[in-house]
Amino acid sequence: MHGQKLIFEQSVSGRRGYLFPRCDVPVQETDLPDSLLRVETTGLPELSEVEVIRHYQNLGRRNFCVDVGFYPLGSCTMKYNPKVNEQVASLEGFLDLHPLQDEQTLQGMLQIIHRLTGDLCEITGMTWGTLQSMAGAHGEYTGMKLFRAYFASRGESSRTRLIVPSSSHGTNPASAHLSGFEVVEVPADKRGLVTLDVLKPYLDDRLAGIMLTNPNTLGLYEVEVAEIAREIHRVGGLLYYDGANMNAIMGASRPGDMGFDVIHLNLHKTFSTPHGGGGPGSGPVLVSKRMVPFLPVPDVVLQKGSYAFDWNRPESIGKISGFYGNIGICIRALTYIMVMGSDGLAEASRMAVLNANYLMERLKGTFHLPYNRRCMHECVFSAERIKADTGVTALDVAKALIDRNIHPPTIYFPLIVQEALMIEPTETESRETLDRFIEAMEDIHRLAYEDPSQLKSAPLRTEVGRVDDVAAARNPRVCFCG
Ligand SMILES: *Cc1c(COP(=O)(O)O)cnc(C)c1O
């Protein structure tokens, strides 16, 4: 099926990429027991340097990334990450640090942790936080632990119900459930929004709170958020904000001002860190004043002009990661924030929203737009109509985009939209790129009616054509078996 051999298959016995000088130190007997000494070679592939370079270059060229083309993957914020972030994170002074070094020799790194936590609080309107969590979902899990610790401290462990709207990200109900809460799903209304009305039946002393995403996964701003916050607090509940998509509102509105108690951000989305392919990520958790005592240890504090770890937090939920988080990602995020400044961050959000609305307005005559109102950073179309008319599905549209050197949008999510196409252009794309995307979508739409079979077999220009997704997921063959 594919032209490229595995690196093991290219191995030729005795071939070398690098020759070490002959060892000029006498070989000494070791004290290691014979049973631990290797008697056979490792079986590592043997290749020359240029063979290795070509192998990985060829593999890399099969990959799609933001540096190659437009990547409007809704909710995932695949925006361009300025290369200066990489340069700063790769400075030797950062790379060579060890997490167990003495605090006095870690002052610069501690300052970064302290400053970034403070900046993120300023951006979100929260009081303090932790950078330890490694991803958005890890942030949510940490947030739920904070909820539990708060209720335990008040003798209110009977609060077990957590409201999660149907328009929320899939990780929300999963995190709530894993943390032992009973998930209560509430529907969005005809506008795609959560209203106070649907929450009313649950506003009692069994309620732990709500997990809300604003803008929600339809890309829509929850207009009743202030009333919702007031009512949840009135019955003693807490509000969790999924801030993975903070890029929609930076400099315009703040979850802290909306009344949220615990939030997470995705530094690997909004704050310009490369992601995809499984990480690394960073999902800082930020909290309102009353939640501060429960934050993970250690905190980083500034005392008499020097930074130090503070482990003295008796009510803390403890540690939630090995050391202090994915520090390299934190350095990138702080670099981005400092380069952008507050005006730049606000401008980034305005551009993200403008780009999404531009796409929405230009495409809504062609593709069905189930929730037709001003969007934030993303918009969600449905391929239901073309499917009914021509048999072409959201999946076919996505595959056809690949042939046009465009990464598909998120499809079949959010679940409340049939045949969903969730498009997030991000702020880093030009008008010309957006126009090319619009033309590609219009072209695909025309083909659906004229020659649907062509779309059914897309992609045609990739090394591997249409794969059987179900078999690939259920029966993956990921091992090299000789
Ligand atoms: C991406 C995303 C998450 C999950 O973040 P991970 O870092 O992938 O765990 C949660 N909520 C929303 C709204 C997201 O877009």
Side-chain angles (χ1 to χ4, degrees), residues 196-368:
L196 199 49
D197 274 351
V198 297
L199 308 184
K200 287 218 167 106
Y202 308 106
L203 297 176
D204 57 28
D205 59 7
R206 280 173 300 169
L207 184 70
I210 187 170
M211 292 183 93
L212 200 64
T213 308
N214 193 18
N216 62 32
T217 51
L218 293 165
L220 304 177
Y221 196 85
E222 295 287 358
V223 294
E224 288 190 27
V225 65
E227 291 77 17
I228 292 171
R230 195 189 56 225
E231 288 304 304
I232 300 264
H233 280 150
R234 193 178 55 78
V235 299
L238 295 172
L239 287 98
Y240 186 89
Y241 179 89
D242 179 337
N245 298 312
M246 188 70 199
N247 58 324
I249 59 168
M250 283 185 298
S253 70
R254 307 194 304 172
D257 301 335
M258 297 175 207
F260 286 90
D261 300 285
V262 183
I263 80 167
H264 81 264
L265 298 175
N266 277 25
L267 298 187
H268 50 290
K269 290 181 183 169
T270 307
F271 296 94
S272 186
T273 278
H275 65 119
S282 175
V285 173
L286 309 164
V287 301
S288 62
K289 192 151 177 270
R290 65 171 131 174
M291 303 301 286
V292 171
F294 310 105
L295 280 170
V297 281
D299 190 15
V300 173
V301 292
L302 180 59
Q303 284 164 339
K304 298 190 204 102
S306 71
Y307 293 94
F309 288 121
D310 180 5
W311 293 84
N312 183 21
R313 215 179 240 163
E315 291 186 282
S316 165
I317 60 168
K319 270 183 116 335
I320 52 154
S321 77
F323 290 105
Y324 317 113
N326 270 331
I327 286 301
I329 305 304
C330 298
I331 300 170
R332 287 170 176 84
L334 185 61
T335 308
Y336 178 70
I337 289 171
M338 291 176 77
V339 169
M340 296 292 277
S342 53
D343 292 346
L345 293 177
E347 176 75 5
S349 280
R350 280 197 296 272
M351 290 304 294
V353 172
L354 180 63
N355 276 355
N357 279 284
Y358 178 70
L359 282 187
M360 186 182 83
E361 288 301 323
R362 292 259 335 252
L363 279 173
K364 77 181 189 191
T366 312
F367 283 86
H368 174 51

Side-chain angles (χ1 to χ4, degrees), residues 74-77 134-140 168-172 213 215 217 242-245 264 266 268-269 275 281-283 378 413:
S75 200
C76 296
T77 315
M134 304 284 193
H138 192 196
E140 293 167 25
S168 77
H169 194 268
T171 49
N172 291 187
T213 308
T217 51
D242 179 337
N245 298 312
H264 81 264
N266 277 25
H268 50 290
K269 290 181 183 169
H275 65 119
S282 175
E378 64 195 1
F413 180 81

